[in-house]
Short mmCIF file of all heavy atoms in Angstrom, two decimals:
data_model
loop_
_atom_site.label_atom_id
_atom_site.label_comp_id
_atom_site.label_asym_id
_atom_site.label_seq_id
_atom_site.Cartn_x
_atom_site.Cartn_y
_atom_site.Cartn_z
N VAL A 21 174.13 201.71 -3.20
CA VAL A 21 175.03 202.05 -2.17
C VAL A 21 174.63 201.35 -0.84
O VAL A 21 173.59 201.62 -0.30
CB VAL A 21 175.10 203.62 -1.90
CG1 VAL A 21 176.08 203.96 -0.80
CG2 VAL A 21 175.43 204.30 -3.17
N GLY A 22 175.45 200.32 -0.41
CA GLY A 22 175.19 199.63 0.84
C GLY A 22 174.66 198.26 0.52
O GLY A 22 173.80 198.06 -0.24
N ALA A 23 175.36 197.24 1.21
CA ALA A 23 175.04 195.84 1.00
C ALA A 23 174.37 195.30 2.24
O ALA A 23 174.65 194.16 2.66
CB ALA A 23 176.25 195.07 0.67
N GLY A 24 173.48 196.06 2.90
CA GLY A 24 172.69 195.63 3.98
C GLY A 24 171.59 194.64 3.50
O GLY A 24 171.46 194.37 2.31
N ALA A 25 170.78 194.22 4.44
CA ALA A 25 169.76 193.22 4.15
C ALA A 25 168.80 193.89 3.07
O ALA A 25 168.36 193.21 2.13
CB ALA A 25 168.98 192.88 5.36
N GLY A 26 168.54 195.18 3.23
CA GLY A 26 167.65 195.90 2.35
C GLY A 26 168.25 195.92 0.89
O GLY A 26 167.56 195.62 -0.10
N LEU A 46 178.05 198.97 -3.96
CA LEU A 46 179.22 199.58 -3.35
C LEU A 46 179.02 199.53 -1.81
O LEU A 46 178.07 200.17 -1.35
CB LEU A 46 179.32 201.05 -3.81
CG LEU A 46 179.39 201.23 -5.32
CD1 LEU A 46 179.34 202.73 -5.71
CD2 LEU A 46 180.62 200.51 -5.99
N GLU A 47 179.88 198.85 -1.16
CA GLU A 47 179.68 198.63 0.33
C GLU A 47 181.01 199.12 1.03
O GLU A 47 182.10 198.63 0.69
CB GLU A 47 179.46 197.15 0.59
CG GLU A 47 179.58 196.72 2.00
CD GLU A 47 178.71 197.43 3.02
OE1 GLU A 47 177.53 197.64 2.74
OE2 GLU A 47 179.25 197.93 4.00
N LYS A 48 180.82 199.89 2.02
CA LYS A 48 181.97 200.49 2.70
C LYS A 48 182.71 199.47 3.58
O LYS A 48 183.95 199.58 3.71
CB LYS A 48 181.60 201.75 3.55
CG LYS A 48 180.91 201.35 4.81
CD LYS A 48 180.69 202.59 5.73
CE LYS A 48 180.08 202.20 6.97
NZ LYS A 48 179.85 203.05 7.98
N CYS A 53 175.65 192.45 4.76
CA CYS A 53 174.49 192.40 5.62
C CYS A 53 174.49 193.46 6.72
O CYS A 53 173.58 193.47 7.55
CB CYS A 53 174.28 190.99 6.19
SG CYS A 53 172.53 190.48 6.15
N GLY A 54 175.41 194.42 6.62
CA GLY A 54 175.28 195.60 7.51
C GLY A 54 175.13 195.27 8.99
O GLY A 54 175.97 194.59 9.56
N ARG A 55 174.04 195.84 9.57
CA ARG A 55 173.86 195.63 10.97
C ARG A 55 173.36 194.26 11.45
O ARG A 55 173.37 193.94 12.55
CB ARG A 55 172.78 196.65 11.50
CG ARG A 55 173.35 198.08 11.69
CD ARG A 55 172.30 199.08 11.93
NE ARG A 55 171.59 199.48 10.70
CZ ARG A 55 170.38 199.92 10.59
NH1 ARG A 55 169.61 199.98 11.63
NH2 ARG A 55 169.93 200.29 9.38
N ALA A 56 173.05 193.46 10.42
CA ALA A 56 172.85 191.98 10.71
C ALA A 56 174.23 191.39 10.53
O ALA A 56 174.59 190.87 9.52
CB ALA A 56 171.86 191.38 9.83
N GLY A 69 175.22 192.16 15.94
CA GLY A 69 174.31 193.28 15.67
C GLY A 69 172.91 192.75 15.94
O GLY A 69 172.55 192.47 17.08
N ALA A 70 172.16 192.61 14.86
CA ALA A 70 170.82 192.00 15.02
C ALA A 70 170.96 190.60 15.57
O ALA A 70 171.98 189.94 15.27
CB ALA A 70 170.08 191.96 13.68
N ASN A 71 170.04 190.18 16.46
CA ASN A 71 170.14 188.92 17.15
C ASN A 71 169.49 187.79 16.32
O ASN A 71 170.00 186.71 16.26
CB ASN A 71 169.48 188.98 18.49
CG ASN A 71 170.01 190.08 19.28
OD1 ASN A 71 171.16 189.96 19.73
ND2 ASN A 71 169.32 191.18 19.52
N TYR A 72 168.39 188.11 15.69
CA TYR A 72 167.67 187.08 14.88
C TYR A 72 166.67 187.81 13.98
O TYR A 72 166.46 188.96 14.11
CB TYR A 72 166.95 186.01 15.85
CG TYR A 72 165.94 186.66 16.72
CD1 TYR A 72 164.69 186.93 16.33
CD2 TYR A 72 166.34 186.97 18.09
CE1 TYR A 72 163.76 187.47 17.26
CE2 TYR A 72 165.46 187.52 18.97
CZ TYR A 72 164.10 187.78 18.52
OH TYR A 72 163.22 188.38 19.38
N THR A 145 184.42 199.77 -0.16
CA THR A 145 184.25 200.91 -1.14
C THR A 145 183.22 201.90 -0.53
O THR A 145 182.03 201.65 -0.58
CB THR A 145 183.73 200.34 -2.46
OG1 THR A 145 184.68 199.38 -2.91
CG2 THR A 145 183.58 201.42 -3.48
N ARG A 146 183.74 202.90 0.11
CA ARG A 146 182.86 203.84 0.81
C ARG A 146 182.54 205.04 -0.18
O ARG A 146 183.44 205.72 -0.56
CB ARG A 146 183.58 204.40 2.05
CG ARG A 146 182.67 205.43 2.84
CD ARG A 146 183.54 206.21 3.81
NE ARG A 146 183.82 205.42 5.01
CZ ARG A 146 183.19 205.57 6.19
NH1 ARG A 146 182.20 206.43 6.26
NH2 ARG A 146 183.44 204.82 7.18
N VAL A 147 181.29 205.22 -0.45
CA VAL A 147 180.87 206.25 -1.32
C VAL A 147 180.92 207.56 -0.53
O VAL A 147 180.50 207.67 0.62
CB VAL A 147 179.43 206.05 -1.80
CG1 VAL A 147 178.90 207.25 -2.53
CG2 VAL A 147 179.38 204.84 -2.70
N ASN A 176 171.00 202.65 0.56
CA ASN A 176 170.70 201.75 1.63
C ASN A 176 171.31 202.17 3.04
O ASN A 176 170.84 201.67 4.02
CB ASN A 176 171.08 200.35 1.23
CG ASN A 176 170.90 199.24 2.28
OD1 ASN A 176 171.63 198.28 2.40
ND2 ASN A 176 169.81 199.36 3.02
N PRO A 177 172.28 203.09 3.06
CA PRO A 177 172.85 203.42 4.36
C PRO A 177 171.77 204.03 5.38
O PRO A 177 170.79 204.57 4.89
CB PRO A 177 173.90 204.51 4.05
CG PRO A 177 174.29 204.24 2.63
CD PRO A 177 172.98 203.80 2.00
N PRO A 178 172.05 203.83 6.72
CA PRO A 178 171.15 204.48 7.65
C PRO A 178 170.85 205.98 7.29
O PRO A 178 171.71 206.65 6.62
CB PRO A 178 171.94 204.34 8.95
CG PRO A 178 172.72 203.14 8.79
CD PRO A 178 173.14 203.11 7.29
N GLN A 181 173.48 208.84 7.38
CA GLN A 181 174.57 208.76 6.38
C GLN A 181 173.98 209.02 4.96
O GLN A 181 174.71 209.64 4.12
CB GLN A 181 175.16 207.32 6.50
CG GLN A 181 175.87 207.17 7.76
CD GLN A 181 176.33 205.71 8.06
OE1 GLN A 181 175.56 204.75 7.75
NE2 GLN A 181 177.38 205.50 8.77
N LEU A 185 175.16 212.21 2.40
CA LEU A 185 175.55 212.07 1.00
C LEU A 185 174.67 212.88 0.09
O LEU A 185 175.13 213.51 -0.87
CB LEU A 185 175.46 210.54 0.62
CG LEU A 185 176.65 209.70 1.15
CD1 LEU A 185 176.33 208.27 0.89
CD2 LEU A 185 177.93 210.11 0.45
N ILE A 211 173.50 201.86 20.23
CA ILE A 211 173.69 200.77 21.18
C ILE A 211 175.19 200.36 21.19
O ILE A 211 175.84 200.27 20.19
CB ILE A 211 172.87 199.52 20.59
CG1 ILE A 211 171.39 199.80 20.58
CG2 ILE A 211 173.24 198.27 21.50
CD1 ILE A 211 170.50 198.64 20.15
N THR A 213 177.61 197.41 22.29
CA THR A 213 177.40 195.97 22.53
C THR A 213 178.71 195.36 23.09
O THR A 213 179.80 195.62 22.52
CB THR A 213 177.03 195.23 21.23
OG1 THR A 213 175.82 195.77 20.71
CG2 THR A 213 176.91 193.69 21.38
N GLN A 261 173.66 194.19 25.23
CA GLN A 261 173.51 195.44 24.59
C GLN A 261 173.09 196.47 25.67
O GLN A 261 172.08 196.31 26.34
CB GLN A 261 172.39 195.39 23.55
CG GLN A 261 172.74 194.41 22.37
CD GLN A 261 171.60 194.15 21.46
OE1 GLN A 261 170.49 194.62 21.67
NE2 GLN A 261 171.82 193.38 20.47
N TRP A 306 177.40 200.82 17.94
CA TRP A 306 176.50 200.98 16.81
C TRP A 306 175.89 202.40 16.95
O TRP A 306 174.98 202.59 17.69
CB TRP A 306 175.34 199.99 16.76
CG TRP A 306 175.84 198.59 16.66
CD1 TRP A 306 175.96 197.68 17.64
CD2 TRP A 306 176.17 197.87 15.44
NE1 TRP A 306 176.43 196.45 17.16
CE2 TRP A 306 176.54 196.52 15.85
CE3 TRP A 306 176.24 198.21 14.11
CZ2 TRP A 306 176.88 195.59 14.90
CZ3 TRP A 306 176.60 197.26 13.20
CH2 TRP A 306 176.90 195.97 13.56
N ALA A 309 172.13 202.57 15.49
CA ALA A 309 171.65 201.19 15.67
C ALA A 309 170.24 201.00 15.16
O ALA A 309 169.94 200.15 14.43
CB ALA A 309 171.76 200.82 17.15
N LEU A 310 169.32 201.83 15.72
CA LEU A 310 167.93 201.58 15.49
C LEU A 310 167.21 202.92 15.21
O LEU A 310 167.25 203.84 16.01
CB LEU A 310 167.24 200.98 16.74
CG LEU A 310 167.86 199.67 17.29
CD1 LEU A 310 167.17 199.32 18.59
CD2 LEU A 310 167.75 198.61 16.32
N GLY A 332 165.48 200.57 3.28
CA GLY A 332 166.06 200.16 4.55
C GLY A 332 165.03 200.22 5.68
O GLY A 332 163.94 200.65 5.45
N ASP A 333 165.49 199.89 6.85
CA ASP A 333 164.56 199.83 7.98
C ASP A 333 163.98 201.20 8.31
O ASP A 333 162.84 201.28 8.69
CB ASP A 333 165.15 199.20 9.28
CG ASP A 333 166.49 199.87 9.73
OD1 ASP A 333 166.96 200.78 9.04
OD2 ASP A 333 166.92 199.43 10.83
N ALA A 339 162.59 198.96 13.01
CA ALA A 339 164.07 198.63 13.07
C ALA A 339 164.28 197.18 13.22
O ALA A 339 164.66 196.62 14.22
CB ALA A 339 164.68 199.37 14.25
N ARG A 340 164.00 196.47 12.12
CA ARG A 340 164.00 195.00 12.15
C ARG A 340 164.55 194.50 10.83
O ARG A 340 164.26 195.06 9.79
CB ARG A 340 162.67 194.38 12.36
CG ARG A 340 162.09 194.62 13.80
CD ARG A 340 162.67 193.63 14.74
NE ARG A 340 162.35 193.94 16.11
CZ ARG A 340 163.19 194.48 17.02
NH1 ARG A 340 164.48 194.73 16.64
NH2 ARG A 340 162.84 194.71 18.27
N VAL A 341 165.26 193.35 10.83
CA VAL A 341 165.84 192.74 9.64
C VAL A 341 164.69 192.40 8.65
O VAL A 341 164.80 192.73 7.43
CB VAL A 341 166.63 191.54 9.94
CG1 VAL A 341 167.16 190.86 8.68
CG2 VAL A 341 167.81 191.84 10.93
N ALA A 344 163.57 195.52 6.86
CA ALA A 344 164.55 195.95 5.85
C ALA A 344 164.41 195.05 4.62
O ALA A 344 164.48 195.56 3.47
CB ALA A 344 165.95 195.96 6.40
C1 LIG B 26 172.76 196.08 18.24
C2 LIG B 26 171.60 195.84 17.26
C3 LIG B 26 170.62 194.81 17.56
C4 LIG B 26 169.51 194.59 16.71
N1 LIG B 26 168.73 193.52 17.00
C5 LIG B 26 167.76 193.17 16.09
C6 LIG B 26 167.05 191.95 16.24
O1 LIG B 26 167.25 191.18 17.14
N2 LIG B 26 166.14 191.65 15.23
C7 LIG B 26 165.92 192.39 14.16
O2 LIG B 26 165.14 192.05 13.31
N3 LIG B 26 166.66 193.56 13.94
C8 LIG B 26 167.60 193.96 14.89
N4 LIG B 26 168.34 195.05 14.67
C9 LIG B 26 168.01 195.93 13.56
C10 LIG B 26 168.55 195.35 12.26
O3 LIG B 26 169.89 195.05 12.29
C11 LIG B 26 168.33 196.39 11.11
O4 LIG B 26 166.97 196.80 11.16
C12 LIG B 26 168.61 195.86 9.73
O5 LIG B 26 169.78 195.11 9.74
C13 LIG B 26 168.73 197.07 8.82
O6 LIG B 26 169.12 196.67 7.46
P1 LIG B 26 169.27 197.78 6.34
O7 LIG B 26 169.56 197.09 5.10
O8 LIG B 26 168.18 198.74 6.40
O9 LIG B 26 170.53 198.65 6.79
P2 LIG B 26 172.08 198.34 7.21
O10 LIG B 26 172.17 196.91 7.71
O11 LIG B 26 172.49 199.45 8.10
O12 LIG B 26 172.84 198.34 5.83
C14 LIG B 26 173.37 199.57 5.22
C15 LIG B 26 174.73 199.29 4.63
O13 LIG B 26 175.20 200.48 3.99
C16 LIG B 26 176.53 200.52 4.18
N5 LIG B 26 177.04 201.91 4.03
C17 LIG B 26 176.82 202.94 4.88
N6 LIG B 26 177.39 204.11 4.39
C18 LIG B 26 177.99 203.72 3.25
C19 LIG B 26 178.76 204.44 2.24
N7 LIG B 26 178.98 205.79 2.36
N8 LIG B 26 179.22 203.73 1.16
C20 LIG B 26 178.93 202.44 1.03
N9 LIG B 26 178.24 201.75 1.89
C21 LIG B 26 177.75 202.34 2.99
C22 LIG B 26 176.74 199.91 5.60
O14 LIG B 26 178.08 199.51 5.80
C23 LIG B 26 175.71 198.80 5.59
O15 LIG B 26 176.32 197.60 5.14
C24 LIG B 26 169.42 195.32 15.51
C25 LIG B 26 170.36 196.33 15.18
C26 LIG B 26 171.44 196.53 16.05
C27 LIG B 26 172.50 197.51 15.69
#
Side-chain angles (χ1 to χ4, degrees):
V21 180
L46 307 172
E47 166 55 48
K48 75 170 180 178
C53 222
R55 281 170 279 154
N71 304 291
Y72 58 85
T145 304
R146 180 195 282 260
V147 171
N176 180 210
Q181 294 167 326
L185 284 168
I211 296 181
T213 300
Q261 295 169 1
W306 300 97
L310 305 174
D333 58 355
R340 292 280 171 252
V341 177

